[in-house]
Amino acid sequence: VKLTPRLTLIFILYAAALLSVVGVLAYSNGREALRSATISELSATAIEKQAALSEWVERKQLGIALLAAEPATIDSAAALIGAPPGSAEKQGAHDKFVRQIQPRVDGGEFMTIMLIDPETGEVIAATDPSEEGKFKEDRPFFISGKLGPYVQNVYYALALQGPAMTAAAPLKGPDGRALGVLAGRINLEEMNSIINRRSGLRETDDAFLVNTSNFFVTQPYLVADPAVLKREVHTEAVNRCLAQSSGTLEADDYRGIPALVVYRWLPEQKLCLLAKMDQTEAYAPARAFGGAVAAISALALLVAAVLAVALARSLTRPILALQDGVARFGRGELDTKLPETARDELGALAHEFNKMAASLLEKDAELRAYAGTLEQKVQERTKQLQESHAQLLRAEQIGQIGSWEWNIPEDHVVWSDGLYQVFGLKPQAFGATSGAYLKQVHPQDREFVQQSVGKALLERGTFEYESRIIRPNEQIRTIFTRGELLLDQDGEPARMIAVVLDTTQRQQALQALRESEERYRSLFENMLSGYAYCQMLFEDGKPHDFIYLEINKAFAKLTGLNDVTGKRVSEVIPGVQESNPELFQIYGRVAQTGEPESFETHIPSLGIWFSISVYSPKQDYFVAVFDNITERKHAEEALRLENERFVRFVDSNIVGIAIAEADGRIALANDYYLNILGVNRQDFLDDKVDWRKFTPPEWLLADEKALRELGERGICEPYEKEYVRADGTRVPVYIADAMLPGPEEQIAAFILDISARKRAEADILRITEELRRSNAELEQFAYVASHDLQEPLRMVASYTKLLQKRYQGRLDADADEFIHYVVDGATRMQQLINSLLDYSRVGTRGRDFVSTPSEKIIQEALANLEVAIEESGAKITCDLLPTVSADATQLTQLFQNLIGNAIRFRSEKPPEIHISAAHRDDNWLFSVRDNGIGMESQYFDRIFVIFQRLHTRAEYAGTGIGLAICKKIVERHGGRIWVESELDKGSTFFFTLPVQGRVDIRMIKGN
Amino acid sequence: MMKIHLGLQRIIVLILAFVVPACSPGVTSTPALTPITVQLSWFHQAEFAGFYAADQLGYFREEGLQVSFVEGGPEVDFIAPVVNGTAQFGVAQPPNLILARADGKPVRTIAIIYRRSPIVFFSHADLGITRPQDFVGKKIRSAITLDLTLRATMARLGIQPDQYEIVYLPGDVSLFASREVPVWVGFINVIALDVQRAGYEINIIYPDDYGIHFYGDVLITTDDLIAQNPDLVRRFTRAVLRGWTNAQENPETIGKFVQKYNADADETLENARMIASLPLVNTGEDYIGWMKPEVWAVMEQTLREQGVLSQALDVEQVYTTQFLEEIYKK
């Protein structure tokens, strides 16, 4: 085992070492050469790109500078700048300038060209109209472009959302004045194509530019998605390059794949130029070469190994054969023969060994034959004995049986193996006497066992008993013993033989049965459900009556029926056949078919609802188990009623009702609500209706406020909003919400369509407005009419008076009378017109309301009435009066008219007038009470109508306008006026004025 | 050879001794961590990607900080919590910050997050609205954070406030779709992106094209904290800038981070928001977070010209470059 591998290993190791040194040297030389070549290639590419890029940028700079220097450009720009702003000329010059520069864009040299105001930076004109009006005042190309031609290196243009590059040059007029800055945005596709230009000889070579924001400026060849231009790149090479250095590197590229990278920092452009190639491709030839070297080496190694094994084998094979033979002999293979092929010392050794082995083999065979027969016999006998004993033991074990035999004279007991097992004993743990046996018996059973055995001894008979024993592990077992007494030749007791059976399990089973029965009996008696075991009686094959055979306690408790056992149901519940025929049908069916059934029924005579399960233990008999479910039935009924009420409540459609959730779902809605939204019920049932979508944006805030209020208080104040239907029409609604209990946080909403009310409100507003205008017109008319009528009338009155003065008594009597009538009529008409003017002035010439104490106003009025008061001897009294907000002049007139009337319409008694005021419902209620002639109630309204009089002018002077003016004044102050009076018993005039400010506490007490 | 080997072993043991307890998940309360609250200017979304990255990648913890975030919203005053100390740091819009400072609130910017403003105007493409002059006579949707940019742009073009009507609406795609309000102001990487992803063709107008060069989101704290605990401010700022650098380099990881703070966030949408904001954070100039005093001066001047700011304010009160300089010196 040792020699062959050792020799082989030495040969192979030597060969392997030689081959690997040669192989590694060859591979690394090749790889290094490839690396240098690739780096040279990439560097050449980078230098070429850098040069091309610089040249391209210079060309662009020159391009914009040339364009800015062209006389045509300068002329059109000057025309544009010189034109007055906003003029058609300006527009024309603008269009001309754009046409002038447009070819440069069409030719692809620039993407956009623009003319920028040198002062403000505003774009005045551009080939891309969307650039016009923008400001470039802070852009480097503008700031530097003002001074001379300039190219702003690649930068991120916010509006383009990507890289951009712009060339700019100053545009100067013939006088050298700066006209503007001409800027052209460069097409980066050109730069892209310069950088992307590839030889096509390689697969994974790539060149690209990265700016200082780590953004790709040109599309890398190996990434197709242009979105890469909006992403940052943070490879090792990019990081080193952006640290403003150049070099080469073996590192992962932007795809995370190992690559060879040449990076160059381009200080002029502030860009990083990278050229790279995947290492797999660069080193592919080296790998191929390495593979070949490895394959050749492996082959050479294999040949060397085969040779090494063969050589080692030829040296060690004969020695190993001898060693193997001796070893086999030593293990007992005595017929082993060693090969005697070799003619050397090894051959002689083998020959002698073979001779010795042959004689040993012979002796060994004889001995074996003799020993074989002897052993066989012993084995057979032993086996028979074992089997017999085992059978007995197995029988006893299976039957849990044992037996004992008592030699009475010697008091020696012999136990079978099974008995030891029954008693849980080992054979030596038993004393083998009757006393020792008794010790195993349960103390409470010992006396009884002794008596049973003693009796058999005395009566010379058999015995059997059941007793308990205690096993050494204190387990109690029950055993059944049956025995017999055997007598000797003299008839004296000689031996007693008994068989013992372990009956513990049977006893336990019996006990369990007894307990089970007790349990069920207790369940039967204590269960809350009623139980009745009955026999069904049939008449003409139809169930007719039944007899209660057995019932439990709950039966009586649930039904209220006592002592029913043995009685018929028709006797116990009279009339039940008529009231509950189904009871008999079901019971009869179950009693006959044996199929159990359950049902609920109401027994009117008991006034109870039952839930009953019936089954049949045997033909014609049945058992009914039942519960009183009256309460549940009542609850169900109440619930049903509640539900019906709710449905009626919702479906009454007097108001829109919906139950909704904050996410827009509507759980329930009535027709009224759906009509408001203009959706049909099918769409609602298909869950297509989201309440939030019906609220126009301007009402969202109102909804939000309501939801917040809901969250805080559980309900929200009703508010007005609008819904917009799918067809665009709007519905004004009045809405209130309430939070419903429950985890869904549903909201009950009550919605009233107030379109009609809104329309009515609008109508009222409109009518009120019309009325107001018409009133104003009327007032104006009255004023104008009365004012303009005065002038001619004054002439009529003056000249008739003159006529009267000159010709009174100079014409005949008729003429005098006629003139008198004319004068009187004209005077009255003057009075009427003055009154009318006064009346109309209440509305048109009123003054602003100021806070005025009422006392002061009344004093004024009384002063004006001084003469009348004196003449009539009137007595005027006042209560405490408030300060009011009023037109003082008009209020004076009001009191003056009322007090004046009270004096004028006095009876024979001297007038007594009392003025008082009280606080009533935010108003002051004034009253002026007199003891004058009074009036009948039918005139109460008429007296306030203009020019209405109750008396002739002969009886009481006046034009009939006083109270009409009073009414107008009070109404102008926002109050009301009326009278209470009885003929010959005086009158009281009431009017109200709104309370202004705080109420004097004395006024309230005064009432 | 042997000596070096032993040395290495010792180093490894030392490293394990320090690193293992800190990483062990069983250790929940590390007493050394300082609790920090950051008030955000809007709801949790990729707008705050760098903060989430710093939190999720343990940058805050490495600086000894335990950071929690408070969401903003349309009605949240995001500067007040920083002033009253409920939050130590906050994200704000420069115009609001300048006005707060003018109002005597001692807050200042310590780093810029969006160095280009994300605020744009947009409208349905078929309406043909291509320049702010087209807004005249129209309703414009806006919000508190957007108002000042809108007003500044209009004022710059000489359009009076009574020539257009501002409407405050939530940033909801369906409201845009309803066309009730034709012109919208919003973040290019938020509502404008949502609208485009919902399939609407829109015209975008950039305030930057009309002379309004504002910074977007900025990181703020109080003068007191800067004076009393500059080290804490430096550590927090450093972790935030690291977070933003990582977010810029790995935008596709942001959606998952956002979901840690807002379980309802849509991962693809948040990733798209992050990708859209890359050029706002990294302009290719200077460093992430860097600021230039002249931009502050222009912002102050713009606000003054349009009458939002009634008196000139010394803009040096509004920012400090102290921490950016310290962090990037190393």
Side-chain angles (χ1 to χ4, degrees), chain A residues 120 122 129-139 155-161 211-215 230-232 234 239 696-698 700 704 730, chain B residues 116-117 130-131 133 156-157 169-170 175 178 180 188 204 206 208-213 245 248-252 275-276 278-280 282-285:
Chain A
T120 63
E122 183 177 357
S130 74
E131 288 291 339
E132 291 178 4
K134 290 185 180 174
F135 289 83
K136 307 290 182 187
E137 84 291 355
D138 69 325
R139 309 292 197 260
Y155 56 95
Y156 182 88
L158 210 53
L160 299 179
Q161 298 261 302
N211 72 2
T212 48
S213 311
N214 291 71
F215 278 90
K230 296 185 178 180
R231 309 297 280 274
E232 295 190 5
H234 289 274
N239 290 346
E698 68 267 29
L700 283 175
E704 258 172 48
R730 294 196 170 217
Chain B
R116 288 188 173 108
S117 169
T130 56
R131 62 196 74 213
Q133 285 88 342
R156 174 75 207 273
L157 297 173
L169 286 179
L175 289 177
S178 78
E180 290 271 338
I188 191 164
I204 301 181
Y206 295 84
D208 181 64
D209 278 333
Y210 295 92
I212 304 301
H213 314 296
T245 307
Q248 290 288 110
E249 293 180 14
N250 306 292
E252 271 97 355
I275 289 164
L278 292 176
L280 308 177
N282 181 2
T283 61
E285 291 180 334

Side-chain angles (χ1 to χ4, degrees), chain A residues 817-850:
Chain A
E817 191 184 343
F818 293 166
I819 288 170
H820 168 75
Y821 283 135
V822 173
V823 171
D824 184 50
T827 313
R828 258 194 308 128
M829 190 155 177
Q830 267 186 321
Q831 284 171 349
L832 282 174
I833 284 176
N834 279 332
S835 302
L836 197 61
L837 206 53
D838 287 345
Y839 181 75
S840 68
R841 275 175 180 156
V842 171
T844 53
R845 299 290 164 90
R847 295 185 192 156
D848 290 344
F849 293 177
V850 292

Side-chain angles (χ1 to χ4, degrees), chain A residues 78-143:
Chain A
L80 169 60
I81 289 155
S87 64
E89 186 193 341
K90 182 111 183 164
Q91 188 58 43
H94 169 273
D95 294 349
K96 189 175 172 221
F97 174 79
V98 172
R99 273 201 304 279
Q100 188 70 40
I101 54 176
Q102 187 66 40
R104 301 302 184 106
V105 173
D106 296 341
E109 193 177 350
F110 294 101
M111 294 181 78
T112 314
I113 301 176
M114 47 203 157
L115 177 62
I116 307 170
D117 186 303
E119 300 299 324
T120 63
E122 183 177 357
V123 177
I124 305 165
T127 55
D128 175 1
S130 74
E131 288 291 339
E132 291 178 4
K134 290 185 180 174
F135 289 83
K136 307 290 182 187
E137 84 291 355
D138 69 325
R139 309 292 197 260
F141 68 76
F142 170 74
I143 295 164

